Amino acid sequence: MQVVISDKSTDTLLQELKEALRSEKVIGLARLPEPRPGIRYRDIIKKVFSLAGSVEAIVFIEMEDGEKRVYVFDLEAVIKAGTTLMNSSVKVRGKYLKYKDGLSQVVYYKETSEGKAGEVFEKVNEMADLYEAAYEQAFSRKVSAIDIYYWLE
């Protein structure tokens, strides 16, 4: 596996994920933690964060050329006495993994400070909307969710 330390911020990684989700070449998508039917992913992420002060959101994307991508975002509250977790500032670390033709690469992005948790979860909602739209588009083309566990074999 090739390891790259990027000089770009995690905000750049978020923009790259947005572009990937808008691509018409997406054939499969999955997320961790995987929501149960009737529970929205964004609500799981927010609930875990509000309970623990941190959460990891992972998005798997498979492209029609066989490339597999994994976007990982670690959100962690900057704890201050007397401040609730949802009113805390949030540090975000990110990495991007790419697999294609037996080759793999992981790119680590610079940590960013994203303001208060409420603002961060507005971005989570935006990403969740993009994910759902990408899923619907892939499903309409006769492709849909992927089994992320076969990637681990």
Side-chain angles (χ1 to χ4, degrees):
M1 173 178 282
Q2 178 189 21
V3 177
V4 176
I5 307 297
S6 177
D7 61 347
K8 297 177 184 174
S9 74
T10 301
D11 288 334
T12 302
L13 179 61
L14 188 63
Q15 291 303 317
E16 292 171 4
L17 174 56
K18 285 180 182 181
E19 290 171 20
L21 290 171
R22 290 181 176 131
S23 171
E24 293 183 9
K25 297 179 181 188
V26 173
I27 63 167
L29 297 132
R31 303 174 282 197
L32 285 177
E34 187 173 0
R36 292 188 318 217
I39 299 176
R40 298 183 324 164
Y41 182 75
R42 63 189 83 190
D43 296 336
I44 293 169
I45 297 297
K46 187 174 182 178
K47 183 67 172 181
V48 171
F49 182 87
S50 70
L51 293 171
S54 63
V55 68
E56 185 172 68
I58 306 172
V59 177
F60 296 80
I61 299 178
E62 188 167 0
M63 307 302 280
E64 64 186 11
D65 67 357
E67 182 177 278
K68 296 172 181 74
R69 303 176 180 183
V70 184
Y71 297 83
V72 180
F73 298 90
D74 293 309
L75 289 71
E76 185 175 339
V78 178
I79 307 296
K80 291 186 180 175
T83 303
T84 67
L85 291 173
M86 291 308 292
N87 286 323
S88 297
S89 294
V90 179
K91 293 185 299 186
V92 181
R93 289 178 300 280
K95 61 186 164 189
Y96 167 73
L97 296 90
K98 178 172 68 173
Y99 305 94
K100 186 172 181 185
D101 300 328
L103 302 173
S104 58
Q105 179 185 61
V106 60
V107 180
Y108 290 88
Y109 287 73
K110 288 184 178 179
E111 180 179 289
T112 58
S113 182
E114 293 294 330
K116 297 207 181 288
E119 298 165 6
V120 171
F121 285 99
E122 288 177 19
K123 291 181 182 180
V124 169
N125 286 337
E126 179 186 353
M127 296 308 296
D129 290 342
L130 286 171
Y131 178 94
E132 290 168 5
Y135 183 89
E136 290 299 319
Q137 181 181 18
F139 190 78
S140 71
R141 292 176 31 227
K142 304 291 185 213
V143 291
S144 60
I146 57 175
D147 178 5
I148 56 175
Y149 296 103
Y150 84 89
W151 286 14
L152 303 175
E153 296 176 353

